[in-house]
Amino acid sequence: MYQYDDHDQSFVEARADEFRNQVERRLAGQLSEDEFKPLRLQNGLYLQLHAYMLRVAIPYGELSSAQLRKLGYIADTYDKGYGHFTTRQNIQFNWPKLVDTPDILDHLAGVQMHAIQTSGNCIRNVTSDPFAGVAADEFIDPRPISELMRQWSMLHPEFAFLPRKFKFAVTGAADDRAAIKFHDIGIWAKVDDAGAPVFDVYVGGGQGRTPRVAKLFESAVPLPELMPLLDAMLRVYNLHGRRDNKYKARIKILVEELGLENYRDEVKAEVAGIDRAPFATVEAEYARIKDAFEEGTPGMTPGEPIDLGAADPAFSGWVKTNVAAHRVPGWAIAQISVKPKGGIPGDVTGEQMRALADLADTFSQGELRITHRQNVVFPYVKATDLLALYQGLAAVGLGEDNIGEASDIIACPGLDYCALATARSIPVAQELSSMLRDREAKDELGSISLNISGCINACGHHHAANIGILGLNKAEKESYQITLGGRSDENAAVGDILGPGFAQADVPGAVSKIIDTYLDLRTSTQERFPDTYARVGKEPFKEAVYVGA
Amino acid sequence: MAAALTTKAILTANDVRNGDIVFWTADQRWSTSIDDAAIGYGKDDTDQLADAGKQAEAANTVVGAYLIALRPEETTARVPVKMREVRRLAGPSIEFAQAA
Ligand code: SF4
């Protein structure tokens, strides 16, 4: 993986020192909350429903075992013994004290981490494919361009106060596992006939109260043109974005109001006049970063696949759901579900973080990834080590075999933590997980995405789920609206609202009926939920849930 | 800082240093127990509470001070009108989050 150079390291250390000084001034009463708030937000420190919350960046979801061990230490020393993996591949701590945050940032800097730009109207953490660099269906490793974009966007003086937050996602594979079409700008990295990197650029995607699937802005942009283009796209947005109305301030609204063609024309005019000098080093820098990733990639001698013929059924079941194809024969990508039956999506204890770090050292060359589905990936596992890894995971309660299944639920923190929430997400996720695990043991449900958000901001990606659940406040009672047919892959779509909302207690019953309807109507076990939904439409589901009630 | 409420309310905020939820008490201090919270009845009382919140924010002892409207039916019970406040007072509905 990428290692900081001296410049990166001194930058994060200086930033931690700066924040220590700001916190000292706040505690001494020299800074009011109005003065301090923008400073703390620029370092990922929120004030939530119960306490401060610190969001730590995990660039493109990639972590070393040493970093995860440090996160476990922070969870145990400065928090209540756990952290929460987010849908943007970051981690949140829910209970840090302001007085402790300078020490926490020092600890993070010590392992090449920080919390910069995890909040505020700036370019946020760049997210990517959790299988980056190892996926069997990959055209090109998306991490070098993601890292280059991280460095470009870090404290970029023009883009520190955008009309609204700005999210990039990058993939480099045939299957989009990074949900690029639900981002402000999504980048699909490919290679041209000569083997050089080129990038399809999508713009104007997003969720929230106005969900939109991004539109293709330009295809096959060569590397030297990409960074000037992104700069120009941001500049035009910065100039015209609706600062007067935060609900209309995202780029998706600008693109819609201007029209894609007009937006494109403005961007092209901006690119034509852009000063190229700052981009003169892009190709050399990309090459340096790419080399750094390659140096950090372990040598992988091709080997034999494992034979599951006589394997223990629990292990072969886990391999079937949790192991993905690796680009090197005889190697495997192991996905670790942190969604046990009745568990809290994304929550991991300090003890589990240490156990995962130890297992990553033994079985994945000390490297792991956090996924936007709030799970963990080991990218470098020898097929012959899978059984030992599975046994190690099962011993610490992390052997759940439900990746990609309905019980692999995405849920945001909701009204259990979030100051913006209108309803709780977590208890709903826990009840659904219990119900769905029981059903998965009996029926072959196949792969279904089920996502829950605690308000219209949609951090739980409910719009992009096959079955989406949105928690609302109806006359001071929690009410849950269900959407069907959303998907976040290369055929991205926004789910349709099924009908009136449900009380919390009625959500599992409604979801169960939706699943029954799918099982009745699918043409075979191969027909996935969104395909059945696309074929039969909303009505049969509506009838099952509302008329049959 | 929310506008003063005219019915029945208590004053809450978060402690600047540690983020704990705190309530303004009748003896002019902040307590982590809602049972200690001074209840304001009517406009004059709640205006006074709102002022106490502004002063404490200006003194940088608390952050995010605001009034929580309480159900008026009972004169002494501290039951918020809004679901958000009920949930905030109850804490996360997760066992291990409440430990430690
Ligand atoms: S979706 Fe709403 S409730 Fe959930 S984390 Fe985002 S802002 Fe908070």
Side-chain angles (χ1 to χ4, degrees):
Chain A
M1 61 189 284
Y2 182 76
Q3 297 294 320
Y4 278 11
D5 61 16
D6 291 346
H7 174 78
D8 295 319
Q9 187 61 37
S10 57
F11 168 71
V12 294
E13 285 172 8
R15 182 65 175 230
D17 283 350
E18 182 186 61
F19 191 60
R20 179 177 294 279
N21 177 266
Q22 290 162 350
V23 170
E24 280 167 4
R25 287 191 288 147
R26 173 73 179 127
L27 293 171
Q30 293 161 3
L31 289 177
S32 69
E33 179 60 10
D34 284 349
E35 290 163 330
F36 181 64
K37 188 175 173 184
L39 304 175
R40 68 170 162 78
L41 287 177
Q42 281 166 15
N43 289 285
L45 189 64
Y46 288 71
L47 185 65
Q48 286 287 34
L49 198 62
H50 307 291
Y52 291 107
M53 179 272 277
L54 182 69
R55 184 179 296 147
V56 177
I58 303 178
Y60 32 91
E62 190 169 82
L63 272 180
S64 69
S65 54
Q67 289 173 325
L68 185 59
R69 218 169 262 120
K70 184 62 83 177
L71 294 172
Y73 171 82
I74 290 168
D76 287 344
T77 311
Y78 299 107
D79 208 275
K80 293 191 180 185
Y82 67 104
H84 175 79
F85 291 132
T86 76
T87 52
R88 300 213 73 255
Q89 300 179 290
N90 290 322
I91 187 167
Q92 293 181 181
F93 292 107
N94 293 303
W95 307 96
K97 296 178 178 21
L98 177 62
V99 287
D100 290 333
T101 50
D103 290 345
I104 298 174
L105 292 193
D106 280 349
H107 281 296
L108 291 173
V111 290
Q112 306 189 352
M113 296 185 84
H114 60 76
I116 304 165
Q117 289 179 210
T118 58
S119 168
N121 294 337
C122 55
I123 298 174
R124 303 287 189 90
N125 187 38
V126 176
T127 56
S128 188
D129 183 354
F131 299 173
V134 290
D137 66 343
E138 189 167 275
F139 310 123
I140 184 171
D141 186 344
R143 292 173 302 167
I145 195 65
S146 302
E147 173 59 26
L148 187 65
M149 288 165 59
R150 183 188 76 80
Q151 298 190 11
W152 159 77
S153 61
M154 182 68 67
L155 301 196
H156 193 307
E158 265 187 81
F159 306 140
F161 296 99
L162 292 167
R164 207 63 184 93
K165 58 187 164 184
F166 204 94
K167 298 174 181 176
F168 280 99
V170 186
T171 189
D175 284 347
D176 177 9
R177 288 171 289 263
I180 63 164
K181 292 182 188 168
F182 278 113
H183 284 75
D184 295 289
I185 291 182
I187 295 179
W188 202 343
K190 298 177 177 172
V191 282
D192 66 12
D193 293 343
V198 289
F199 305 90
D200 291 352
V201 178
Y202 290 80
V203 70
Q207 302 201 44
R209 67 183 61 226
T210 321
R212 291 289 180 271
V213 174
K215 299 182 175 80
L216 181 63
F217 181 88
E218 192 170 338
S219 40
V221 179
L223 174 63
E225 293 304 315
L226 182 68
M227 301 316 290
L229 176 67
L230 297 181
D231 223 73
M233 290 174 84
L234 265 293
R235 280 184 177 188
V236 172
Y237 165 59
N238 210 4
L239 190 63
H240 296 307
R242 292 279 300 271
R243 289 173 194 273
D244 61 319
N245 181 344
K246 76 171 184 171
Y247 300 120
K248 298 196 168 183
R250 296 290 288 266
I251 196 171
K252 60 190 172 190
I253 305 292
L254 177 71
V255 169
E256 210 156 86
E257 287 185 351
L258 274 183
L260 182 63
E261 288 312 314
N262 291 332
Y263 173 70
R264 189 183 278 129
D265 288 348
E266 289 221 22
V267 171
K268 293 286 174 192
E270 185 67 36
V271 171
I274 213 160
D275 177 7
R276 295 272 164 163
F279 305 106
T281 57
V282 160
E283 283 174 283
E285 190 57 11
Y286 179 87
R288 181 188 75 81
I289 293 169
K290 185 165 163 285
D291 287 350
F293 276 109
E294 277 166 11
E295 269 167 38
T297 301
M300 288 177 278
T301 315
E304 292 300 312
I306 46 162
D307 177 9
L308 290 174
D312 164 50
F315 170 58
S316 56
W318 178 81
V319 171
K320 193 171 149 227
T321 49
N322 290 39
V323 174
H326 200 284
R327 68 177 166 81
V328 182
W331 290 72
I333 301 169
Q335 303 178 81
I336 293 132
S337 165
V338 287
K339 319 260 183 77
K341 181 176 174 180
I344 300 169
D347 274 15
V348 180
T349 65
E351 203 179 320
Q352 287 175 320
M353 290 183 217
R354 276 187 294 280
L356 283 167
D358 291 347
L359 289 166
D361 279 339
T362 309
F363 297 111
S364 183
Q365 318 278 343
E367 191 182 312
L368 26 79
R369 314 276 172 79
I370 307 307
T371 78
H372 86 269
R373 293 204 61 86
Q374 302 174 290
N375 288 312
V376 176
V377 161
F378 279 17
Y380 303 117
V381 183
K382 277 188 195 141
T384 47
D385 282 345
L386 279 169
L387 177 60
L389 170 60
Y390 170 70
Q391 289 166 337
L393 290 167
V396 292
L398 292 169
E400 205 74 14
D401 59 346
N402 63 344
I403 291 287
E405 300 197 338
S407 62
D408 182 5
I409 296 169
I410 288 182
C412 77
L415 192 51
D416 282 303
Y417 295 98
C418 178
L420 302 173
T422 43
R424 291 173 301 163
S425 310
I426 290 172
V428 179
Q430 290 179 290
E431 279 175 36
L432 284 171
S433 152
S434 296
M435 181 275 283
L436 291 164
R437 272 324 258 155
D438 287 342
R439 293 209 56 170
E440 283 159 1
K442 293 200 300 264
D443 303 319
E444 201 179 324
L445 305 186
S447 127
I448 297 177
S449 61
L450 195 163
N451 302 351
I452 309 175
S453 302
C455 82
I456 193 63
N457 289 326
C459 305
H461 296 187
H462 67 278
H463 294 299
N466 302 164
I467 303 174
I469 298 176
L470 165 63
L472 295 167
N473 178 336
K474 286 273 154 73
E476 299 307 320
K477 289 205 165 48
E478 287 160 316
S479 171
Y480 295 88
Q481 186 183 77
I482 296 182
T483 49
L484 295 183
R487 53 199 296 174
S488 63
D489 57 13
E490 53 287 359
N491 301 311
V494 173
D496 303 319
I497 296 172
L498 185 63
F502 298 88
Q504 186 192 336
D506 297 330
V507 173
V511 169
S512 208
K513 283 178 187 162
I514 288 164
I515 287 176
D516 288 340
T517 309
Y518 160 61
L519 295 182
D520 281 350
L521 295 178
R522 69 181 175 187
T523 51
S524 74
T525 52
Q526 303 306 308
E527 188 179 65
R528 294 183 52 225
F529 185 96
D531 300 322
T532 304
Y533 181 80
R535 185 171 55 76
V536 304
K538 181 161 74 173
E539 287 313 312
F541 294 94
K542 206 168 167 179
E543 196 172 308
V545 170
Y546 295 105
V547 181
Chain B
M1 180 80 234
L5 305 178
T6 52
T7 50
K8 175 182 171 188
I10 55 175
L11 176 66
T12 187
N14 291 79
D15 183 283
V16 165
R17 294 180 66 81
N18 56 31
D20 287 349
I21 293 177
V22 289
F23 305 94
W24 186 245
T25 68
D27 55 353
Q28 316 278 296
R29 63 187 173 83
W30 293 98
S31 165
T32 53
S33 168
I34 189 173
D35 296 335
D36 296 338
I39 303 178
Y41 298 94
K43 184 167 182 338
D44 289 352
D45 268 14
T46 51
D47 279 351
Q48 269 185 23
L49 286 176
D51 283 347
K54 278 184 202 146
Q55 282 170 27
E57 283 184 325
N60 297 310
T61 50
V62 298
V63 56
Y66 65 97
L67 297 176
I68 299 178
L70 301 182
R71 286 186 185 276
E73 306 87 85
E74 288 187 49
T75 46
T76 51
R78 296 168 177 88
V79 184
V81 172
K82 299 279 187 197
M83 177 181 66
R84 176 187 194 275
E85 300 308 328
V86 173
R87 296 274 173 237
R88 179 171 178 264
L89 296 181
S93 42
I94 297 151
E95 227 170 88
F96 63 84
Q98 297 191 336

